[in-house]
Structure formats: structure tokens, C-alpha cells
Amino acid sequence: SIQSLILSNTILYVGGNFTSIGSQSRRNLASFDLATGNLTAWNPDPDGWIESSILSGTTLYVGGAFSNIGSQKRNRLAALDTTANTNNATDWNPVANDFVKAFALSGTTLYVGGRFTNIGSDTRRQYLAVFQSSGNTDNQPITYTFDSAEDLKQFTTSGQGTWTVGDGVLHVVPGTSDGDDNLFSKAT
């Protein structure tokens, strides 16, 4: 099954739960050159399924249920260099203790959501971590205050700073903490 599609110019990144795609053996993550219709040589070969992904420049962030990807041990969360065909996991390695299901990117800030209760060395009740994505190999979140009894499966951002988290049930305004609807404080 396909869970994630990211288009960058003529390259389509495909993530999910599969052992072959385009009549070729590939596990769970692949890229197609849309100009030719063929798979590219890029092959990070994750050993578990990919649930979500997001692209920032030439770095593809992926989350899911893997423990090895891009020739490196990476638990459920990895940053991959899209310019290297193999051995393409970057040094970034925050280690999530459960599934990563969602990403959002705002400028150089990467938001990671899922079922985890621990990421990096930060233990919280659950499900959202925030990292600086631009040139940062720090494996620790810069803030982590979202608290929910449900898995964080999806979230989006808007230019006005309003967040929709989960299945449309929580609208969050970064930097506020007034009332039940404002549970998240974005680091500045």
C-alpha cells in the first residue's frame, strides 16, 4: 500500500508498505523520474513501512515503523539525502520510541507527530516534537508540549500561524496557552 507521495520537480518519492514497485524490487520507499517513468537509482531500503514524509531542499524526512534505513540504524524517524543513491541517511538521529505518522514544515522548523512518547532523550506524555531542520544535526526537540490521548495522525499549518491537529478536532494557535483549544506553544 502507498502511504506517502512527495513530488519535487520531475522526481516522485513514494513511501508505504511494499516489497516491489515499478516491476523492481524495492522495500517501502522509492523514487520515480517522471520524465522517463522509471525508478531512479535512489534506494534507502527501509526495513519497515513508511507512513509519512516531507521534503526540505534535498533532505527527505520520513517516518514510520522502520529500524534501519539509508544503511544506518534509525528508529522510526530519519532524514535522507536525496542526492546520494545509497548510504543516504544523514547524521540526524533523534530516535522515536513508537510510530511517526505526520510531518509539517514551517520555514526551518520541522514538526513531527505520531504515537511516540519519547523522542531524542525527551520523554513526554505524547505525540509532537519540534526540530530546527536547517543544517541542524541536534537530535533533541526544541519544544514538545502537545498533550493528547490520541495519536497525532496529521496536522497542517497556515501562514497565519493557525494549526489543525489530528482529525480536525483541535485548532492550535502557536504561542498561546489559554484554554483547551490552545495546548501547543511554538518555540521562537
Side-chain angles (χ1 to χ4, degrees):
S1 67
I2 304 299
Q3 299 294 321
S4 174
L5 296 170
I6 300 289
L7 181 62
S8 177
N9 297 317
T10 62
I11 303 297
L12 178 66
Y13 297 94
V14 180
N17 187 9
F18 51 84
T19 56
S20 65
I21 192 166
S23 302
Q24 293 187 32
S25 177
R26 291 287 168 90
R27 288 193 305 177
N28 306 315
L29 188 59
S31 65
F32 284 91
D33 182 336
L34 297 181
T36 65
N38 296 323
L39 280 173
T40 69
W42 188 77
N43 186 11
D45 194 34
D47 63 356
W49 50 265
I50 300 297
E51 176 80 16
S52 60
S53 59
I54 196 164
L55 187 66
S56 176
T58 61
T59 302
L60 183 70
Y61 294 93
V62 295
F66 52 86
S67 58
N68 289 284
I69 188 169
S71 302
Q72 300 292 324
K73 183 168 180 54
R74 297 289 184 267
N75 288 321
R76 300 171 192 90
L77 178 60
L80 302 169
D81 181 352
T82 59
T83 65
N85 291 334
T86 59
N87 300 319
N88 47 17
T90 70
D91 290 337
W92 189 68
N93 185 18
V95 183
N97 73 338
D98 210 336
F99 302 139
V100 171
K101 296 185 170 194
F103 292 104
L105 190 61
S106 178
T108 61
T109 304
L110 177 68
Y111 299 86
V112 179
R115 184 186 278 176
F116 53 83
T117 57
N118 184 299
I119 193 164
S121 63
D122 195 11
T123 302
R124 302 289 175 149
R125 182 159 174 228
Q126 47 232 34
Y127 305 128
L128 178 66
V130 182
F131 297 90
Q132 289 298 331
S133 65
S134 178
N136 186 4
T137 59
D138 184 1
N139 297 325
Q140 301 306 312
I142 56 173
T143 188
Y144 188 102
T145 55
F146 179 77
D147 193 9
S148 170
E150 301 294 325
D151 291 359
L152 199 158
K153 298 175 185 170
Q154 64 183 1
F155 52 101
T156 59
T157 65
S158 75
Q160 287 71 41
T162 300
W163 292 74
T164 303
V165 180
D167 295 319
V169 297
L170 177 65
H171 299 281
V172 182
V173 179
T176 65
S177 59
D178 56 325
D180 293 337
D181 288 343
N182 298 307
L183 300 175
F184 174 68
S185 178
K186 180 182 170 203
T188 56

